[in-house]
Amino acid sequence: MTLLSTLLSLPAVIAFDVDDSGRLLVGYDGSGVRQLHEVSPAGDWRALTDLADRVTNGQLIPGTTRVVVEHDTGGNERGQLSVLDLTDPELELEPLVHDPEYFNTLIEVRADRLLYTSNRRNGTDFDLIARELATGDETTLWDGGGYVMRVKPSPDGRWVAVTRAGGPANSNQLLLVESGTTHTIEVTSYDDPTYLHAISWLPDSSGLLVASDADRDRIAILRYDLATGALSDLLVDERYDLAGWACPDGEHLLVATTDDGEISLALHRLADGVLLAPLGLPAGGCAARHMAAADPLWSTDGAYALINYNSPTEPPCVIRYTRETGELLTVRAPDMPELPANLPTPESHRVKSFDGEQIPVFVYRPADGGDGSAVVLVHGGPEWMSARVWHPMTIALAGQGHTVVVPNVRGSAGYGKRWYSLDDKYLRLNSVKDLAALHDWLPELGLDPRRAALYGGSYGGYMVLAGLAFQPERWAAGVDVVGMASLVTFLENTSDYRRVAREREYGSLAEDREFLEQASPLNQVDQIRAPLLVIHGANDPRVPLSEAEQIAAALAARDIPCELLVYPDEGHGLHKRVNQLDAYPKALAFLAETLK
C-alpha cells in the first residue's frame, strides 16, 4: 500500500453528543463512509447506522433510549432527520423530517421537542422550526429570512439565539427570538461588518456569550445581559482570536485561542474570564475547528466536555475532558493502526506580497530535502484558514519529494478582521497576486520556480484556475477540486440560498457583473498553458458540476491537457474513502509527472 493510501485509510472520529454518564455519540468512518456510533463510558463501541451515505449529526433524546440522526444523500447536503431506538435489535431508522428537496439541519434535541432549520418555505430562506416529539406538531419560531448560520436555545427554553448572514462580507447578525411570540431582539445590526460565532448561554439563561470582532480587529468573547440589553467584553486578547463556551455548572468557561493556525484550550473562571489552567492538550494542533464548525460540547451537568482534536501528525479524534479531575481520555478508532513515522510538521513563515502585506505561510518539507519542486496548496472559503490540521495529501506530497507551501492569503480568517477583508469584492484579484508573491519567494526555500504547481479545493480551486489564467508564466500544473471557473456562472447556478450568502463576498450579479467577468478564470482561458486535473462531485449544491465541465471543455478545445474526474455519489468534496482512494492517488501521480 502506498503512503497516500495508508493515510487515506486511517479512520477519523468526530464528536456529536455526550450524556451525563460520559456516553458518547460519535461519527466514525471505519466503513469508508462516516456512520453514527455509540461509545460507552467504559470504552465499548457499537455501530448505530449502516447507510450508503454519511451521517452529519446525531443527538440523544434526553431521558429516552432514542437518537435523532441527520443524514444526506450522495453528498447533496440536503439533511434529512430520522430517529432510531437504541433498544431495537435491528436499529432501523424511522423517518422524522424528510423533505428530500430541501435542506433540514438538526439544531438541538430536548426531551419533548427538537429544533431544526429548513429552507422548504421558498428554497432560499432558512426558518427555525420546533417539532413536538410526542405529536409531530410543528411551530415556526422564526422566519425572518436569510441564511441562518447558528442557532442556540436558552436553557430555560424561553429564548433562541440566532445568527444569520449579515449585509457586509463575512458578517453575521445576532438575534434573540422569544419562544411563542413574535418578539425579536436585534442584538447586532444587519449592516454591521461583524463576525460572530460560538454562542453559549449562561446556565441561568440571564444572558449569553458570543465570540465577536465587533469594533476590533480580533475576535473576543463578549457577554450579553438580557436584563439590561448590554453587550460587554468578558475576555479580550488583541493578539489572538478567542471563543468561549460556558460550563453548565455556572462557574467555568472553556476558552479556545487561535494562534497562527494552532487552536488551544484552557479553563477559565466564568465570572470574570480569569485563567484557571490550560487543558494540557497536545501542542501544535487544533482543539476546535476555526470559526466553530465543530465546537467543544459540554455534558448537561458540566462534568464532561467533548473536544474534536487533530494535528499534522494526528488524525481527527475525540478527547473527553473530565472537569473535576482534568483527565483527558482520547477516543480513537477501535481499529486504528500505527501511524507512519516521521510525518512532516509545518514551519511558519511570512512572505512579503506586492503591496508590502505579509502573507502567513506554512511550509512542509520532505524528509530527504525533496527534489526542488513545490506545490502551493490553497484553502477554500475564502474566509476560512489553513490550520495545523491532519491533511493526508500534504503528507503524501511531501513524501513524494515536493515541498508543500500552505498559505493564508489575504481574505483568510485567523489573522484579524483587516486581513480577512482585504479580498472583498473588487479586491478579489489582490489575493491572486499573493500567489505570484509566493511563487517569487520559492527560490528562498531552495526550490525551482519552474516546477511549481497549484492545488486547491472550492475557493482554493478558483485560486488554482485564477493562478493558471492570470499568471500563466509562473505555474507548471494545477489540481482543481470543486472550484469555480467563472464567478458569474457560479452565482447564476449555485443553490438559491448559497447565492444570497456568497454575493456579499464576491459581488452581486445585478451590480458587479462586469468585475465578476474580469475576475473569472474562464474568461482568460486562452492564457492557460499548464496541464490541469479537475475533481468534482456530481451532486455539489455549492459549486455546480457545470463549473468543472466548462473549464475542462474550454481547455480541451485549445489542446491543453485537462482530465476531469466526476464522482456521481459525491457533493462538495470527496467524503467516501473509495472515491478518495481513486481520485487523490491520480492527483499525486499527475503532479509527479508534471513536476518531474
Side-chain angles (χ1 to χ4, degrees):
M1 183 178 286
T2 66
L3 173 62
L4 180 57
S5 298
T6 298
L7 297 170
L8 292 174
S9 298
L10 293 173
V13 182
I14 182 173
F16 288 143
D17 203 2
V18 58
D19 67 12
D20 294 345
S21 72
R23 178 178 56 168
L24 315 181
L25 289 182
V26 302
Y28 165 60
D29 63 356
S31 66
V33 183
R34 184 205 294 159
Q35 299 297 308
L36 185 65
H37 284 67
E38 177 189 32
V39 184
S40 74
D44 299 319
W45 285 64
R46 179 167 65 138
L48 302 180
T49 60
D50 184 18
L51 305 174
D53 296 293
R54 64 175 176 156
V55 170
T56 49
N57 199 353
Q59 293 187 30
L60 296 156
I61 302 177
T64 76
T65 59
R66 296 186 298 158
V67 175
V68 178
V69 183
E70 180 186 329
H71 49 97
D72 69 3
T73 301
N76 64 10
E77 299 182 17
R78 295 187 181 120
Q80 307 300 304
L81 308 183
S82 302
V83 65
L84 63 80
D85 193 323
L86 298 178
T87 64
D88 176 10
E90 303 300 324
L91 291 173
E92 292 187 6
L93 287 177
E94 176 186 342
L96 191 64
V97 178
H98 278 212
D99 297 303
E101 297 302 313
Y102 301 105
F103 297 78
N104 306 292
T105 302
L106 177 62
I107 299 300
E108 185 184 78
V109 181
R110 296 194 176 181
D112 56 346
R113 72 173 189 175
L114 67 83
L115 296 183
Y116 70 98
T117 59
S118 177
N119 69 336
R120 68 175 178 238
R121 175 166 55 89
N122 59 17
T124 301
D125 299 309
F126 283 81
D127 300 338
L128 176 61
I129 300 167
R131 180 184 180 93
E132 300 299 322
L133 291 171
T135 64
D137 294 339
E138 294 192 342
T139 304
T140 299
L141 300 182
W142 187 77
D143 60 359
Y147 183 21
V148 173
M149 314 290 283
R150 302 282 171 186
V151 179
K152 192 70 175 178
S154 62
D156 64 5
R158 180 182 174 188
W159 296 92
V160 181
V162 175
T163 64
R164 65 170 174 174
N170 203 36
S171 68
N172 311 95
Q173 181 187 21
L174 176 59
L175 307 165
L176 294 183
V177 181
E178 188 172 15
S179 298
T181 75
T182 59
H183 182 211
T184 300
I185 299 173
E186 293 192 355
V187 178
T188 63
S189 168
Y190 178 82
D191 296 320
D192 285 348
T194 299
Y195 176 72
L196 305 160
H197 77 109
I199 302 170
S200 175
W201 281 92
L202 301 177
D204 63 0
S205 299
S206 64
L208 55 79
L209 307 180
V210 61
S212 168
D213 59 9
D215 302 320
R216 55 171 45 95
D217 188 54
R218 287 292 186 168
I219 297 173
I221 302 174
L222 310 184
R223 175 171 179 160
Y224 177 79
D225 185 85
L226 264 172
T228 64
L231 194 62
S232 58
D233 293 345
L234 175 64
L235 194 58
V236 178
D237 191 322
E238 299 299 341
R239 302 165 298 171
Y240 309 119
D241 288 350
L242 306 178
W245 298 270
C247 180
D249 72 349
E251 298 180 4
H252 298 93
L253 172 68
L254 203 58
V255 174
T257 301
T258 301
D259 178 10
D260 195 26
E262 178 179 355
I263 303 178
S264 59
L265 285 178
L267 195 66
H268 290 241
R269 197 161 58 205
L270 179 57
D272 52 16
V274 169
L275 173 66
L276 297 177
L279 259 62
L281 298 168
C286 289
R289 289 280 301 280
H290 186 74
M291 304 174 79
D295 293 346
L297 303 169
W298 284 108
S299 61
T300 55
D301 63 354
Y304 302 101
L306 285 192
I307 300 154
N308 290 302
Y309 178 85
N310 74 123
S311 77
T313 59
E314 173 73 57
C317 63
V318 173
I319 297 177
R320 190 185 72 187
Y321 166 67
T322 303
R323 180 181 50 78
E324 186 68 27
T325 64
E327 178 190 9
L328 298 173
L329 174 66
T330 302
V331 181
R332 294 185 178 89
D335 53 353
M336 175 64 78
E338 186 175 345
L339 293 174
N342 301 318
L343 297 179
T345 55
E347 306 168 1
S348 186
H349 295 263
R350 295 294 184 272
V351 176
K352 186 176 181 179
S353 194
F354 69 97
D355 55 358
E357 294 285 354
Q358 299 289 317
I359 309 166
V361 177
F362 303 131
V363 174
Y364 292 79
R365 297 182 187 268
D368 61 358
D371 62 6
S373 62
V375 177
V376 177
L377 197 155
V378 190
H379 67 74
E383 67 289 346
W384 203 247
M385 79 169 181
S386 290
R388 299 174 189 266
V389 295
W390 177 256
H391 196 267
M393 196 63 184
T394 297
I395 300 170
L397 286 167
Q400 188 164 268
H402 312 296
T403 296
V404 186
V405 177
V406 184
N408 278 299
V409 296
R410 68 191 66 204
S412 304
Y415 296 89
K417 180 191 293 187
R418 189 191 71 85
W419 185 249
Y420 77 59
S421 300
L422 287 179
D423 70 337
D424 292 349
K425 292 191 176 180
Y426 294 117
L427 302 176
R428 177 66 43 212
L429 292 178
N430 286 347
S431 64
V432 182
K433 291 180 181 179
D434 284 346
L435 297 180
L438 291 165
H439 183 275
D440 295 346
W441 175 71
L442 295 177
E444 295 188 28
L445 296 176
L447 303 176
D448 182 355
R450 298 168 300 176
R451 293 191 296 128
L454 291 168
Y455 188 116
S458 192
Y459 177 74
Y462 162 80
M463 291 287 280
V464 168
L465 299 178
L468 299 187
F470 294 105
Q471 302 158 6
E473 72 286 353
R474 281 184 162 90
W475 304 105
V479 177
D480 158 29
V481 183
V482 299
M484 304 97 77
S486 165
L487 296 180
V488 173
T489 58
F490 157 66
L491 290 171
E492 288 175 339
N493 298 321
T494 190
S495 301
D496 290 342
Y497 81 92
R498 196 77 184 171
R499 181 183 309 108
V500 174
R502 301 322 282 157
E503 282 190 326
R504 306 175 309 151
E505 172 75 30
Y506 298 120
S508 73
L509 291 169
E511 299 178 3
D512 307 300
R513 180 179 285 265
E514 182 178 355
F515 175 74
L516 292 170
E517 295 279 12
Q518 293 172 4
S520 294
L522 187 65
N523 294 334
Q524 298 289 325
V525 71
D526 287 341
Q527 301 300 311
I528 297 178
R529 62 184 73 155
L532 179 68
L533 176 65
V534 182
I535 300 170
H536 217 102
N539 305 317
D540 194 335
R542 305 188 190 192
V543 179
L545 175 60
S546 54
E547 291 299 300
E549 293 173 331
Q550 64 185 352
I551 192 66
L555 291 177
R558 292 160 176 80
D559 293 326
I560 301 297
C562 179
E563 183 179 3
L564 172 59
L565 304 177
V566 178
Y567 295 88
D569 56 349
E570 295 280 11
H572 195 61
L574 304 185
H575 298 285
K576 296 180 178 179
R577 186 168 294 122
V578 63
N579 296 330
Q580 295 172 352
L581 288 170
D582 181 74
Y584 296 142
K586 290 178 179 176
L588 203 63
F590 167 77
L591 292 171
E593 175 63 25
T594 54
L595 299 181
K596 67 181 179 182

